[in-house]
């Protein structure tokens, strides 16, 4: 079997086809058994975590995954990165990490940094979020959660709600959905925060059906998956407009009263107040499970990139 | 034998009885042999260190203990925590850590956070200091040092000197002392910095004898243990008052001229100037040994919580 | 064979003689084979990384080296250190680290801190840069790179260019060169940034020939090694003077047009703009290789200090 993952950079989810993603999912399913123990298959590997922008969830899940696999991590995060690299080019920092470690996980506030790093580094580079558009391992996790909780991604109806223009995970998720055949995608947002033109083009080119919706009540009955992202006040030119719409993009028990029994709600986290904590105890809430899947998914990803999948089991 | 520790949260030292504490001490004594080497009994465990407030001693001793036992650590500290969790509830942060790691060590400036975290997490939560009142593993370390250096805690005379109202370790130490039968406790402080009413009630309910003392000279002859904590200038409403009293709560060779030969001096560290460095080289100074016992004590604690004590030896 | 390294502090490169340094180089050469894998010879060791001043390259190369050898690291860095040790003496911080870990790597902005720490600690202390004058492991790395790339250090002509007065690595490199017999050393800098009197005395006492040079064009033909360090604007009392000279201390393809075919260019990194990126792709550029040698060199150093060289191979 041809190997999709061995030695590959992970810059965009579209670098991989459906078969590759399904291979990742199948290995993640196996890794769930090992995500609370230790599997010494990457003992000889060091993973660099270059978080130019702070993060807990993504950073700690990669770190946990690497350690559960017996490997080591080095790195820096946030403020430290800024004071340290003062004046040094990103290229030189990447060259250093590439000469110490066997792969680099990178997060940066500027779009394109991960791709640039991948051109410089000999070892694999994994994009852990750059700019406002790409976060491929989050999208893999989002899709895995749907696949795991509902059994399939083909044929489902997905609502994506919140700030669809600036939220980092939305573009990657939409790209990921084009690898499958969801029946319909509802883009639920205020008109000012609809996905950018080029993101809509991805859906169109893939022939996926989508509609813009302003009020979730119109479509809640149809949804199999509701994916919620945050709306930040500072994205609105007009505070009055923000105050007017914000209630419509907050999920409460009331929002869910007409939903399908089997609806699952996802969120990349952290959340602020876009999902009422009362929703947490409903059967619909799967965002904490989704977060927990982050460790086995990244265990599977690292195993595949280092070509050690034969050692699992 | 019933297991006191397996899977338990460590929120207050009073969650454990004397028998449990003695079991911890006996295992710590064994762990002293391993605290400079490696004992691979927690290889399959990941410990999350959630230091919302910075710390070196407590954090690094837990980290060293976990690594000496073959386990891994993940976590965040101080500023990083603040920038990262901006807007996220503590509950959601705890849920994330709980889904990645096998136990959580937590420090926070707000009282009650550890208990709240323990209600949310499925895995054990260890309080590494919250608010100004609780620091149970420090109290275990304080008591272990007395037990180790003097052979017993029953029958000894303990002086606790400094800011007894706000210092984080005092309440936990006093709680811990009630599990034993010290002969007398002297509370040596300015009147404004005496322990709070509810802390005195702990001593009274346990039937332990105590007195308030303003000048250590009055009681130095009687003490077996002198436990020193810092007095911070900012605790005094009146700077003049602070300047007047501060000399009385600084330990020098002069302070010790009438003490017992066998007196031991403890301090949770870090110290600023409340103990003259000249005291360091006397036979009385045990605060550096006390700090060093932090690693074997936390090795024993983690071993017991994960139920691996049978693997030691 | 007498052991130069076992249990020793590494405060200055002059604490070691040529034989010791050559032993280090020979072991580094072997470690190059292991610097991309794992050699479990320090599994029972914990290394404390006490970076009172931030650093990425030095810190991450020590951390990688320790982990590749199977050991563990603990520590703190930069801001964290400042907030944590607020008020605590360096002596007390060092005592703590000494009681947790088996060796301490220390960086501090004040000269002499590493030596002071070594007087307090029982375990070995490694100076990772203190003040503006000492950085012995960087000098070992610089010399190793020359030895590795050119085959020898004796008989070569070395140019050192930039701020020779304040750059941390220059004094240590010059000290290291006195352990060998380079044919000539050119000190290429503006007059105001020449090495301090006591650094020149080191060269004189060792009987090494050197000259001050203001313009690299005068000597470029003769050089076997060009070692570049940064010139910082803020070192100049007069901005006009800085603007006048800066171009002369920037290496470009033009600078190199008359150099030897075999010239190698080194730099301790990070660089800002003192070497034009166009130089990176010439055969002369060895600064990235030099950085990469940091891991095997520090693997060798740690192995020797812990006396485990017999376990290699």
């Amino acid at each position: 079997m041809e190997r999709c993952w061995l030695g590959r950079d992970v810059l965009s989810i579209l670098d991989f086809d459906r078969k590759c993603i399904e291979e990742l999912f199948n290995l993640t399913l196996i890794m769930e058994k090992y995500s609370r123990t230790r599997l010494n298959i990457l003992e000889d590997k060091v993973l660099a975590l270059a978080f130019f922008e702070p993060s807990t969830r993504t950073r700690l899940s990669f770190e946990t995954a690497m350690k559960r696999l017996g490997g080591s991590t080095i790195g820096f995060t946030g403020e430290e990165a800024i004071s340290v690299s003062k004046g040094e080019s990103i290229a030189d920092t990447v060259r250093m990490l590439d000469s110490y470690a066997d792969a680099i996980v990178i997060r940066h506030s500027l779009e394109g940094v991960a791709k640039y790093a991948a051109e410089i580094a000999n070892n694999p580079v994994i994009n852990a979020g750059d700019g406002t558009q790409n976060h491929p391992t989050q999208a893999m996790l989002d899709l895995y959660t749907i696949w795991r909780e509902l059994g399939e991604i083909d044929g489902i109806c997905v609502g994506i709600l919140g700030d669809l223009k600036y939220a980092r995970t939305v573009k990657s998720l939409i790209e990921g959905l084009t690898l499958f055949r969801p029946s319909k995608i509802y883009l639920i947002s205020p008109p000012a925060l609809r996905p950018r033109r080029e993101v809509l083009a991805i859906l169109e080119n893939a022939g996926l059906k989508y509609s813009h919706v302003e009020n979730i009540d119109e479509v809640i009955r149809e949804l199999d998956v509701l994916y919620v992202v945050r709306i930040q006040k500072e994205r609105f030119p007009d505070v009055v407009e923000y105050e007017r719409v914000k209630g419509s993009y907050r999920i409460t028990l009331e929002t869910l009263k007409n939903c399908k029994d089997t609806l699952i709600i996802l969120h990349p986290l952290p959340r602020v107040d876009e999902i009422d904590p009362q929703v947490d105890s409903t059967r619909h809430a799967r965002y904490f499970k989704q977060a927990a899947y982050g460790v086995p998914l990244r265990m599977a990803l690292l195993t595949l990139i280092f070509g050690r999948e034969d050692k699992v089991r």
Side-chain angles (χ1 to χ4, degrees), chain A residues 36-63:
Chain A
R36 285 289 179 184
T37 179
R38 180 141 156 182
L39 195 62
N40 280 331
I41 61 176
L42 297 183
E43 275 195 297
D44 55 335
K45 300 298 182 191
V46 172
L47 182 66
L49 301 167
F51 280 76
F52 291 91
E53 229 188 32
S55 152
T56 355
R57 223 162 295 269
T58 305
R59 180 172 65 85
L60 294 184
S61 64
F62 267 113
E63 202 171 336

Side-chain angles (χ1 to χ4, degrees), chain A residues 118-134:
Chain A
E119 284 164 13
I120 290 161
N122 293 314
N123 290 306
V125 169
I126 300 171
N127 184 357
D130 65 340
T132 58
Q133 299 293 292
N134 284 300

